[in-house]
Amino acid sequence: MATDRMEQIVALCKRRGFVFQSSEIYGGLKSCWDYGPLGVELKRNVKDAWWRYMVRGRPDVVGIDCSILMHPKVWETSGHIAGFNDPMVDCKKCKARFRADTLDAQRCPEKPSKKPGECEGELTAPRQFNLMFKTFMGPVEDASAIVYLRPETAQGIFVNFKNVCDTSRMRPPFGIAQQGKSFRNEIVTENFIFRSREFEQMELEFFCPPAEAMPWYEYWRKARLDWFLGLGVRAENLRLRDHAQDELAHYSAACADVEYQFPFGWKELEGIANRTDFDLKRHSEATGKDLAWFDDITRERWIPYVIEPALGVDRAFLAFLCDAWAEDEIDGEARSVLRFHPALAPIKAGIFPLVKKEGLPEIGHAIEKELSREFSVFYDEKGAIGRRYRRQDECGTPWCITVDFQTKDDQTVTVRHRDDCRQERLSIAALAGFIRERCLG
Ligand code: GAP
């Protein structure tokens, strides 16, 4: 059933233009994905909702946008070059590669009912594989020109801590947030866009006095769950899982995952960690730059502790999609619907003249022109009105606006609600306010 549900969601993504396989007409590039016209709107809305909640809506957080390529020494200092590894094994028979630490969750590609190593194939001894993508900067391809595609956005924030302090009025406790692409040469990619090699992250590094780290950690655990709930994710599909002591990174004082119940099981959506003063201390030692904070009120100097909520955009996209998708029945007819929160819906309103004549298309286009100044809307005058509604239901459009003959007399339209198919009459002048208010989230 779960596989079936996931297959249906993947098929819907293709059919409606949410997600396509990268380079599909060349046979596809495994684990890389392209976002289509609806997908790009949904993704943008997810990122905007995060930015509003984490940055613009708060006086204590500012944003940054760092380059993907950074000085290679950054990755030595952060520990990624030495330690950002996963253990890998190969099957000597079919040559497939597996992550040695999650063999139970993987399948032999030749005998999918068996785990790797349980078929006739023998596995090699595990060896460490570094997940960093390497490239060369400039025309000469030698060791001195090696640079890395960043595997996380966080390091760009740490190395700019002093710049932000020197140029803004921020003082701890405060945060720096970033959204952007990250790259990891994962040994195994899985579950559609859940784990890929090129993905986007939204990370906050929240710098605070050491003594306040645990209260802030508790604060962000709750705030991050609230964000998902506020955008309509069902509470029964979300949970916080605390990391056991032996799971914690050596620099981490506490860590929890926000997990979502995907059709393929409970999986990490977001990590929230108390990274202590590890990152700033290491960069300070490596560069000789003083990254301590001097508190001119208490006259104390300390290196801030960091609380880090780190979320993958693509993973959040998939969770919102899985949570929103449902099949129900309208007037005895099956329908597929995406019940997105209006703030996330790729299209906010469909605009449909009832017929293609007698001045109704002209009114429809005028409404389209007005609303599209602020929202993404979709105009359609072709086909039976029921079919037009159904199509928008599967795109996740919360409202369909129908222009009919009464519109010519009293400047009102019907607004049909996606979730319960209720219809109400609204004046054209009230439409923008109606949508705006419901998109606030
Ligand atoms: N700076 C901390 C950090 O990067 P992480 O747990 O490795 O922590 C944070 O990554 C989030 O990024 C994950 O919770 C997940 O949502 C997303 N993420 C990580 N690897 C991913 C991958 N290969 N594909 C898609 N998303 C990924």
Side-chain angles (χ1 to χ4, degrees):
M1 280 291 282
T3 320
D4 197 36
R5 183 171 167 82
M6 199 54 212
E7 278 168 7
Q8 291 184 60
I9 289 170
V10 174
L12 186 158
C13 281
K14 172 81 201 285
R15 183 168 69 244
R16 290 293 177 204
F18 281 92
V19 181
F20 306 125
Q21 174 81 66
S22 163
S23 322
E24 193 185 283
I25 61 170
Y26 282 88
L29 181 64
K30 198 167 173 284
S31 89
C32 293
W33 303 96
D34 296 340
Y35 288 81
L38 290 188
V40 79
E41 291 291 338
L42 174 58
K43 197 179 191 198
R44 188 172 291 256
N45 293 341
V46 170
K47 288 164 66 177
D48 285 351
W50 188 92
W51 198 260
R52 270 199 308 276
Y53 183 82
M54 301 292 280
V55 186
R56 293 230 173 111
R58 305 183 57 106
D60 58 354
V61 177
V62 289
I64 199 163
D65 186 11
C66 307
S67 62
I68 286 170
L69 303 176
M70 299 178 72
H71 196 296
K73 286 224 163 78
V74 169
W75 306 111
E76 270 173 39
T77 306
S78 68
H80 281 84
I81 288 179
F84 196 50
N85 301 324
D86 277 340
M88 177 175 77
V89 289
D90 292 333
C91 173
K92 290 185 182 168
K93 183 163 169 267
C94 72
K95 311 289 176 220
R97 287 227 144 125
F98 305 101
R99 255 179 77 166
D101 55 341
T102 58
L103 284 177
D104 280 355
Q106 297 170 76
R107 296 283 137 213
C108 164
E110 291 194 344
K111 293 194 178 157
S113 62
K114 306 240 182 227
K115 290 179 204 163
E118 282 186 347
C119 56
E120 281 111 65
E122 191 196 333
L123 299 179
T124 59
R127 58 200 190 283
Q128 293 298 324
F129 174 75
N130 190 281
L131 303 186
M132 302 263 280
F133 271 102
K134 270 186 206 161
T135 187
F136 300 96
M137 192 171 246
V140 183
E141 295 194 3
D142 65 14
S144 68
I146 290 177
V147 288
Y148 300 89
L149 303 190
R150 68 180 175 199
E152 62 172 19
T153 58
Q155 297 303 322
I157 297 177
F158 297 133
V159 302
N160 276 293
F161 172 73
K162 194 167 164 14
N163 278 337
V164 174
C165 289
D166 291 348
T167 55
S168 67
R169 292 270 176 92
M170 307 310 280
R171 44 183 301 136
F174 83 98
I176 307 176
Q178 173 161 221
Q179 299 182 332
K181 289 262 185 178
S182 293
F183 301 82
R184 295 183 189 178
N185 202 359
E186 301 279 0
I187 299 167
V188 178
T189 56
E190 56 183 351
N191 295 319
F192 193 34
I193 55 174
F194 177 81
R195 187 184 308 284
S196 52
R197 297 193 170 103
E198 174 178 345
F199 54 96
E200 265 185 270
Q201 288 185 310
M202 308 190 275
E203 297 195 283
L204 169 72
E205 307 304 324
F206 195 80
F207 302 93
C208 59
E212 292 176 22
M214 283 315 278
W216 277 111
Y217 171 68
E218 295 298 333
Y219 170 89
W220 281 111
R221 283 160 55 103
K222 178 170 181 327
R224 293 307 307 145
L225 266 184
D226 286 348
W227 183 73
F228 288 106
L229 294 170
L231 287 167
V233 176
R234 275 167 287 179
E236 67 265 27
N237 286 336
L238 279 177
R239 71 181 185 195
L240 267 175
R241 188 184 68 80
D242 289 305
H243 283 209
Q245 276 300 319
D246 61 358
E247 261 184 286
L248 291 179
H250 63 94
Y251 51 80
S252 182
C255 186
D257 289 343
V258 177
E259 292 191 334
Y260 178 76
Q261 186 169 208
F262 289 96
F264 42 88
W266 286 98
K267 297 274 179 187
E268 174 189 337
L269 190 53
E270 168 160 8
I272 302 156
N274 173 352
R275 299 181 64 113
T276 67
D277 56 3
F278 173 79
D279 305 277
L280 290 183
K281 209 183 223 168
R282 293 271 298 199
H283 286 301
S284 185
E285 285 162 5
T287 59
K289 300 280 186 300
D290 182 8
L291 299 181
W293 174 260
F294 177 67
D295 187 326
D296 47 14
I297 298 167
T298 63
R299 314 297 296 168
E300 287 170 332
R301 179 179 290 280
W302 34 265
I303 296 191
Y305 268 39
V306 171
I307 309 302
E308 176 195 67
L311 171 62
V313 179
D314 314 75
R315 242 174 234 193
F317 178 110
L318 187 59
F320 286 123
L321 197 69
C322 291
D323 218 71
W325 185 64
E327 283 184 304
D328 59 12
E329 239 182 51
I330 301 292
D331 301 330
E333 209 186 299
R335 89 167 165 161
S336 157
V337 56
L338 282 170
R339 296 203 174 98
F340 289 128
H341 186 288
L344 301 182
I347 300 170
K348 306 301 183 209
I351 301 163
F352 307 147
L354 193 59
V355 292
K356 253 198 289 185
K357 55 188 179 189
E358 298 190 43
L360 301 193
E362 287 75 5
I363 301 174
H365 278 305
I367 295 172
E368 178 194 16
K369 189 167 175 210
E370 180 58 27
L371 293 183
S372 63
R373 285 151 39 111
E374 214 178 322
F375 312 107
S376 74
V377 294
F378 179 77
Y379 176 89
D380 188 7
E381 58 185 27
K382 293 191 203 83
I385 195 80
R387 293 249 322 268
R388 284 184 261 171
Y389 287 158
R390 235 42 114 243
R391 188 189 152 96
Q392 289 309 307
D393 289 343
E394 202 178 52
C395 296
T397 307
W399 303 288
C400 289
I401 297 165
T402 304
V403 179
D404 56 20
F405 295 107
Q406 189 183 329
T407 312
K408 292 198 337 185
D409 297 333
D410 64 4
Q411 295 295 299
T412 66
V413 288
T414 58
V415 174
R416 183 250 192 199
H417 294 249
R418 173 197 64 204
D419 294 343
D420 55 9
C421 301
R422 182 167 47 94
Q423 303 208 7
E424 62 182 309
R425 258 201 116 80
L426 281 187
S427 76
I428 292 174
L431 286 172
F434 171 90
I435 298 173
R436 191 181 306 124
E437 195 184 309
R438 284 157 185 77
C439 286
L440 289 178

